[in-house]
Amino acid sequence: MEQQKQAVQEPIFDKNRSPGKTFSLGLQHVLAMYAGAIIVPLIVGGQLGLTTEQLTYLIAIDLLACGVATLLQVFGNKYFGIGLPVMLGCAFQAVGPMIIIGQQHGMSAIYGAIIASGLFVILFSGLFGKLIKVFPPVVTGSVVTIIGLTLIPVALTDLGGGQSAGDEFGSALNISLGFGVLAFIIIMNRFAKGFLRSISVLLGLILGTVVAAFYGGVDLTPLREAGWFRAPQPFYFGTPEFKIVPIMTMILVAIVSVAESTGVFMALGKIVDRDITSKDLSRGYRAEGLAIVVGGIFNSFPYTTYSQNVGLIQMSRVKTRDVIVVAGGLLVLIGFVPKIAAMTQLVPTSVLGGAMVALFGMVVSSGIRMLGDQVDLNRHENLFIIACSVGMGLGVTTVPGLFASLPDNLRILADNGIVAGSLTAIVLNLIFNGLKYTKPTHTEEGDTAEGHAA
């Protein structure tokens, strides 16, 4: 118990690292999650017919809220925050429900539902914290593997130029830029050491953008048109309205986000060598719920943990929270200064995609390592759980229209590969292992035998 207390109260800042290095590592985290953060307001704003001015506000306030949400988690205390190096961003699974609510009930109903769902997470965080019992290593390892596998198609789509590339998708320039950045990151991880290797992704993004500029692949229009300052405005789209159907819909989205965040929390705990308790999870859920409420008040989005940054932590091998504090602060700054936000938009989609292949692949390898180290793979039951859950998660991702005929509320759960695979792993583990799980122990001869977790 003392070990847990010490882990939560460990120093946030690494005094042995220079401020310049810490800043570079934090910037790398911002660039890794930036594309995912801005795509949600772009999609929602486009579908709901927002004006250019409204869309600009939506993107800026989203980035600012991402920073605030991240800092809430990093500065763990007695009530809020898990105290892990975790980045938060807008929940992509909220896109469809927000569009449907906005089209049927208006923008005010969206944010009333978001605020209500955040309060729901805060009030029931203690109950959610007990989810640790249904997340033994066979489930956690499967979930982390599913997270990485379901993100790979996103990375490859970006590498080809993104969904909006049109006829230019898969062009020679996009392919060359994407795989060139990936090759550069591989070379840096093979031959570079220390700090240079830890910022290999950032260097790859900068180099790829410079090369793209020589071929006319960088559009400076956003930088020229962006202003220098934009203050956040509570209830920008009007006074929130609280309607039962939108609220129930967003509560379902919040539960999905909690389930996804649990897997990320557990994965990060393994990476930083810290055992995550139910109390840790409860604090993490409260911070996530508070971030959702803040998002509703300032008319942005629900927030959840971003798994791509787990891959970056694994790759950079920098596990201290000071880097995430810098990243959160940068996001807040970017949210106030649209010019800075526009600068990060200069990175071409194909360049981001090349880097994401490596990052998402590291998430997959992290899940595989967890399964290999902590799960008895000689038991047929464990292999069956892994096979079905990973198959379901990857299958739903690659065949997105499979559950098109289901009601919208059920599709929130079924259409998300991460959620579908995670629920499959949880249910099958309860069927085969119950609430007690087994882990491999090693005999003197080196053979594996089963032992029950205490």
Side-chain angles (χ1 to χ4, degrees), residues 6 14 39 94 120 135 148 185 190 210 222 239 246 253 259 269 292 343 345 378 414 421 434-435 448 453:
Q6 185 177 2
D14 185 351
I39 192 66
F120 175 85
F135 274 86
I185 294 172
R190 171 62 180 86
V210 171
T239 304
V253 172
I292 294 172
M343 289 180 64
Q345 292 184 59
N378 290 319
L435 291 178
T448 299

Side-chain angles (χ1 to χ4, degrees), residues 40 166 246 307 310:
V40 173
S307 51
V310 177

Side-chain angles (χ1 to χ4, degrees), residues 102-426:
Q103 291 173 342
Q104 295 180 354
H105 303 278
M107 294 291 289
S108 297
I110 293 177
Y111 295 108
I114 289 176
I115 293 171
S117 66
L119 293 173
F120 175 85
V121 173
I122 294 173
L123 291 174
F124 291 94
S125 58
L127 177 63
F128 291 146
K130 302 193 182 301
L131 286 174
I132 192 171
K133 292 183 178 180
V134 295
F135 274 86
V138 66
V139 173
T140 305
S142 298
V143 169
V144 174
T145 304
I146 292 165
I147 289 173
L149 288 175
T150 55
L151 289 171
I152 293 295
V154 177
L156 291 177
T157 299
D158 284 349
L159 189 149
Q163 294 181 347
S164 61
D167 294 337
E168 292 299 315
F169 183 82
S171 66
L173 178 60
N174 286 333
I175 294 295
S176 299
L177 286 172
F179 281 106
V181 170
L182 178 59
F184 176 82
I185 294 172
I186 292 172
I187 292 171
M188 290 293 291
N189 278 271
R190 171 62 180 86
F191 296 105
K193 297 183 182 297
F195 177 68
L196 284 178
R197 182 166 64 180
S198 67
I199 62 168
S200 59
V201 173
L202 175 59
L203 294 177
L205 292 174
I206 294 173
L207 179 62
T209 302
V210 171
V211 172
F214 280 106
Y215 291 93
V218 176
D219 183 10
L220 297 176
T221 302
L223 183 61
R224 288 193 296 264
E225 295 182 350
W228 283 103
F229 179 79
R230 182 63 186 260
Q233 179 181 339
F235 309 123
Y236 177 82
F237 291 103
T239 304
E241 297 179 9
F242 299 92
K243 299 183 178 181
I244 186 63
V245 174
I247 288 174
M248 294 304 298
T249 301
M250 294 310 298
I251 284 177
L252 283 175
V253 172
I255 293 173
V256 168
S257 297
V258 165
E260 188 173 341
S261 295
T262 303
V264 176
F265 290 154
M266 301 300 287
L268 271 174
K270 299 299 180 183
I271 291 173
V272 302
D273 299 320
R274 174 177 152 194
D275 291 330
I276 304 300
T277 67
S278 60
K279 290 184 178 180
D280 292 327
L281 291 175
S282 296
R283 288 194 299 269
Y285 300 149
R286 287 191 201 103
E288 193 164 307
L290 183 58
I292 294 172
V293 172
V294 171
I297 291 174
F298 287 97
N299 290 174
S300 55
F301 298 92
Y303 291 93
T304 188
T305 54
Y306 262 25
S307 51
Q308 53 260 52
N309 292 90
V310 177
L312 185 53
I313 292 172
Q314 184 82 355
M315 180 177 291
S316 67
R317 302 178 185 178
V318 177
K319 306 173 184 178
T320 53
R321 288 180 282 164
D322 53 350
V323 172
I324 306 300
V325 171
V326 170
L330 284 173
L331 286 169
V332 172
L333 178 63
I334 291 171
F336 278 111
V337 186
K339 281 285 187 187
I340 299 178
M343 289 180 64
T344 59
Q345 292 184 59
L346 300 182
V347 179
T349 304
S350 57
V351 171
L352 280 172
M356 294 302 173
V357 171
L359 294 179
F360 297 161
M362 287 299 292
V363 177
V364 177
S365 63
S366 178
I368 294 174
R369 186 182 67 176
M370 292 169 64
L371 291 171
D373 290 347
Q374 303 174 47
V375 178
D376 184 3
L377 298 180
N378 290 319
R379 294 186 70 230
H380 170 76
E381 292 86 349
N382 288 336
L383 291 177
F384 192 75
I385 293 169
I386 297 168
C388 291
S389 59
V390 173
M392 179 63 71
L394 188 58
V396 169
T397 302
T398 55
V399 188
L402 181 63
F403 298 110
S405 61
L406 290 180
D408 290 336
N409 288 344
L410 291 179
R411 285 185 61 189
I412 295 173
L413 301 174
D415 272 355
N416 187 299
I418 296 173
V419 176
S422 300
L423 290 177
T424 302
I426 292 170

